[in-house]
Amino acid sequence: NKTANMFGLLGVDAIVKNIIFTDVYLYCSYSGIIYDSYGKIESVVLQNGVVKGTNCGAICVYNSGSIYRAVNNATVIANSEAGGICCSGKGTIKQCANYASIHTTSRSGSQTGGIAGHIWDGTVQDCFNTGFIEGNVIVGGILGLQSGESTVSSCYSIGNVKGYSEVGGIIGVVYHGDNPVTSKCYYVNSCLCKGITGEDVENSAMPLALSDFYSATLPDGFNSSVWQAGSAVADADYEQLGTMFKRNV
């Protein structure tokens, strides 16, 4: 099927909230738990499984709404474009985490990211990736491609990132035509690449040692109301929401 998602189109007033999916196998052209969202996705967890297709976003394929505290643990395999949380969109993604491997297989081009393949005119804030991210071109630990009037801030990636060209520990490629903003993001210095398209950018995409992500001090730009320094924190709603995230209170 072209689409075989668990949810199709979410309208602006729709909310999908507080659901944990286990043993999920999705295989279609546009593959993910939700196909297209203009609404709200909150506290949705994909605990294990495989999401496979042409364009894939484990939680949501296309996002023009908001995604908050979503977690992906399912392997994503796409031919063209892929992200651990969403494939692409112009919405908001906050406090989301990807633990799984994200792969694109196209030889001619791909947009592959731990959180999203491509974001334009949207916001990605307080998110992290620990999974292995692999594609051909335009590959990043957080985003493959950032464009438009978008903002990416206070995110980190400690997973390895691999690609043939235009590869970044945080973002593969940033199109600067509409002045997108990348701020206070960090990647592990043992990563197979540098911050944005093979370059470290001061105050935007910077390397840290792995031990720094587990230290008693939060990195610059990380809000203590969202993040907690030190080891992983268990959350009442999930087996583990994610390294450094504070509990929802």
Side-chain angles (χ1 to χ4, degrees), residues 2 37 57 67 70 78 83 105 128 131 160 170 176 193 199 202 207 222 242:
K2 213 169 189 180
S37 175
I67 306 176
T105 59
F128 74 86
N160 279 330
I170 296 298
H176 291 285
C193 56
E199 300 289 337
E202 187 67 26
F222 278 44

Side-chain angles (χ1 to χ4, degrees), residues 12 14 24 39 42 48 52 54 57 60 76 88 103-104 144 160 167 189 202-203 243:
V12 293
V24 170
E42 183 175 335
N48 53 39
K52 188 175 181 180
T54 302
C60 181
V76 177
S88 62
H103 303 274
T104 51
N160 279 330
V167 181
N189 61 7
E202 187 67 26
N203 294 319
T243 305

Side-chain angles (χ1 to χ4, degrees), residues 27-79:
Y27 186 13
C28 56
S29 294
Y30 304 100
S31 192
I33 294 293
I34 299 162
Y35 171 57
D36 192 4
S37 175
Y38 293 83
K40 295 180 181 179
I41 302 167
E42 183 175 335
S43 301
V44 172
V45 178
L46 183 43
Q47 215 165 55
N48 53 39
V50 177
V51 176
K52 188 175 181 180
T54 302
N55 295 325
C56 299
I59 303 297
C60 181
V61 183
Y62 301 116
N63 174 48
S64 297
S66 65
I67 306 176
Y68 175 67
R69 291 177 81 87
V71 179
N72 176 52
N73 276 289
T75 299
V76 177
I77 304 169
N79 181 53

Side-chain angles (χ1 to χ4, degrees), residues 203-217:
N203 294 319
S204 295
M206 299 162 284
L208 290 177
L210 183 61
S211 59
D212 291 332
F213 292 96
Y214 298 91
S215 73
T217 304

